[in-house]
């Protein structure tokens, strides 16, 4: 496939080839960062045309996941830093005891993290983490979500390659270019659940909200292109999806799902890149969305310390009752 998109992809790849050539010959930190950035962006550039075409409905038949490309077994948690080991779990589910399961695993078969005092609700939450978060870091958040909600919680892991490369990936998610395994895995999961007649409840922080927005847009496109639905029918089916975002880096969410967005006015991520500190016509939170803005100092962008503490049950939030 040629045309402008192919030219953009080729140009971007050449730019990062040049950056790779400029990287210092010795294996210092700056050289490693530039080389890794070049490799990551080159891979994304090569996938721009196919990904954009499939997501906009220009092309048909794209697989919306990386199914079958991972080992079909859980992997014991291990390691604690942003290493290639974390990258290998991109798009995996994280369940009880921090064990990881391939994206092809049906959601119901992932052993969930549960509250220490026992489950108090029948709902299962799927949490997508933000940047610079290892699998072990996400697991800590999963346990806190379980305690806060009283429900079962499963993580959809957005792997980290380090903050610098995570930010580059976030830019690609904003522009809907390149492949992101977490986007594909989440889109598959949501599609499978709602077309089987089940509801799904998503929670997302920071870049996780970008991933969620992008995945839901993919699902809507897939319902129309592959399943033959009208836009209205697709959005009606998407009403089975409940979405809660916290400090989200996305300013656009597709219509259909039921949304509650939490925005700290002092959070630079959600105020600069997300829905903003005040309502505005440039943002699109999703039809009927509830946006709860508050002011909290300290760890303004922190999920565990700031946002989760502000979270109220979904039904209350949808009524605008945050007191």
């Amino acid at each position: 496939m040629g045309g402008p998109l192919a030219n953009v992809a080729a140009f971007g790849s050449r730019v990062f080839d040049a950056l790779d050539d400029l990287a210092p010959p010795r294996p210092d930190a700056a050289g490693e960062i530039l080389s890794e950035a070049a490799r990551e962006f080159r891979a994304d550039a090569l996938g721009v045309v196919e990904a954009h075409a499939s997501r906009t409905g220009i092309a048909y038949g794209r697989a919306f996941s990386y199914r079958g490309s991972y080992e079909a077994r859980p992997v014991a948690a291990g390691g604690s830093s942003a290493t290639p080991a974390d990258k290998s779990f991109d798009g995996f589910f994280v369940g009880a005891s921090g064990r990881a399961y391939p994206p092809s695993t049906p959601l119901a078969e992932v052993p969930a993290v549960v509250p220490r005092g026992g489950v108090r609700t029948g709902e299962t939450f799927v949490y997508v983490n933000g940047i610079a978060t290892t699998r072990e870091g996400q697991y800590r958040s999963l346990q806190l979500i379980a305690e806060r909600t009283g429900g079962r919680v499963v993580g959809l892991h957005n792997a980290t390659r380090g903050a610098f490369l995570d930010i580059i990936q976030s830019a690609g998610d904003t522009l809907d270019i390149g492949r992101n395994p977490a986007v594909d895995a989440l889109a598959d999961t949501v599609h499978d659940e709602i077309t089987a007649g089940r509801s799904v409840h998503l929670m997302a922080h920071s870049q996780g909200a970008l991933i969620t927005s992008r995945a839901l847009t993919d699902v809507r496109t897939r319902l129309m292109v592959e399943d033959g639905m009208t836009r209205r029918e697709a959005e009606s089916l998407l009403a089975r999806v409940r979405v809660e975002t916290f400090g989200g880096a996305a300013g656009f969410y597709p219509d259909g799902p039921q949304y509650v967005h939490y925005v700290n006015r002092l959070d630079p991520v959600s105020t600069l890149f997300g829905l903003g500190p005040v309502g505005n016509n440039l943002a699109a939170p999703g039809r009927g969305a509830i946006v709860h803005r508050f002011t909290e100092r300290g760890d303004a962008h922190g999920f565990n310390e700031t946002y989760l503490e502000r979270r109220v049950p979904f039904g209350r939030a949808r009524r605008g009752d945050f007191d």
Side-chain angles (χ1 to χ4, degrees):
M1 183 182 294
L5 280 175
N7 293 335
V8 169
F11 175 74
S13 185
R14 287 197 298 273
V15 168
F16 275 76
D17 279 337
L19 284 176
D20 204 2
D21 292 339
L22 290 173
R26 57 192 178 87
D28 59 12
E32 290 178 359
I33 289 174
L34 282 174
S35 295
E36 181 66 11
R39 288 192 294 271
E40 293 291 335
F41 192 88
R42 186 186 303 115
D44 284 348
L46 294 175
V48 165
V49 178
E50 178 188 354
H52 178 80
S54 64
R55 289 188 167 105
T56 54
I58 297 172
Y60 292 79
R62 176 177 179 270
F64 277 71
S65 74
Y66 280 54
R67 293 186 173 194
S69 61
Y70 298 118
E71 289 185 81
R73 64 178 179 85
V75 184
S80 59
S81 61
T83 66
D86 195 72
K87 178 180 176 180
S88 68
F89 296 110
D90 212 358
F92 273 54
F93 291 111
V94 179
S97 301
R99 292 171 68 86
Y101 299 84
S104 57
T105 309
L107 183 59
E109 295 181 13
V110 179
V113 177
V114 298
R116 294 182 179 90
V119 174
R120 303 188 301 275
T121 175
E123 200 163 25
T124 297
F125 300 84
V126 178
Y127 172 63
V128 189
N129 60 281
I131 71 167
T133 304
T134 62
R135 183 163 50 102
E136 292 71 28
Q138 185 185 27
Y139 173 64
R140 288 191 289 273
S141 294
L142 297 179
Q143 190 65 60
L144 290 173
I145 294 170
E147 305 299 337
R148 182 79 178 183
T149 64
R152 298 173 175 82
V153 188
V154 170
L156 193 290
H157 191 52
N158 168 34
T160 181
R161 299 164 177 80
F164 179 74
L165 291 174
D166 289 353
I167 290 171
I168 290 178
Q169 186 186 54
S170 295
D173 288 333
T174 301
L175 298 171
D176 193 20
I177 60 175
R179 290 194 178 101
N180 183 331
V183 172
D184 293 330
L186 185 60
D188 270 324
T189 298
V190 171
H191 181 270
D192 289 351
E193 292 298 303
I194 64 176
T195 55
R198 295 184 290 270
S199 298
V200 60
H201 195 143
L202 309 180
M203 300 176 73
H205 175 237
S206 192
Q207 186 195 3
L210 269 174
I211 289 168
T212 299
S213 169
R214 193 176 178 187
L216 292 172
T217 302
D218 282 1
V219 173
R220 184 177 64 181
T221 300
R222 183 172 177 178
L223 291 172
M224 292 188 293
V225 173
E226 296 184 8
D227 299 330
M229 295 185 184
T230 65
R231 188 185 189 93
R232 177 175 294 182
E233 289 170 338
E235 292 177 355
S236 178
L237 189 58
L238 279 167
R240 293 182 179 274
V241 185
R242 293 181 169 187
V243 181
E244 298 179 67
T245 72
F246 305 84
F252 166 83
Y253 298 86
D255 293 338
Q258 305 173 58
Y259 294 103
V260 175
H261 304 289
Y262 292 80
V263 177
N264 181 5
R265 296 185 185 90
L266 299 182
D267 179 354
V269 174
S270 56
T271 56
L272 294 176
F273 306 106
L275 297 175
V278 296
N280 66 85
N281 293 330
L282 297 179
R287 186 172 54 241
I290 298 296
V291 182
H292 177 52
R293 294 180 172 88
F294 61 92
T295 302
E296 182 70 40
R297 300 183 184 277
D299 187 4
H301 188 57
F303 175 72
N304 296 346
E305 300 80 5
T306 299
Y307 279 104
L308 190 56
E309 290 299 313
R310 293 277 181 159
R311 193 254 179 195
V312 301
F314 191 78
R316 276 182 53 192
R318 289 286 293 174
R319 296 193 299 270
D321 178 9
F322 295 94
D323 296 326

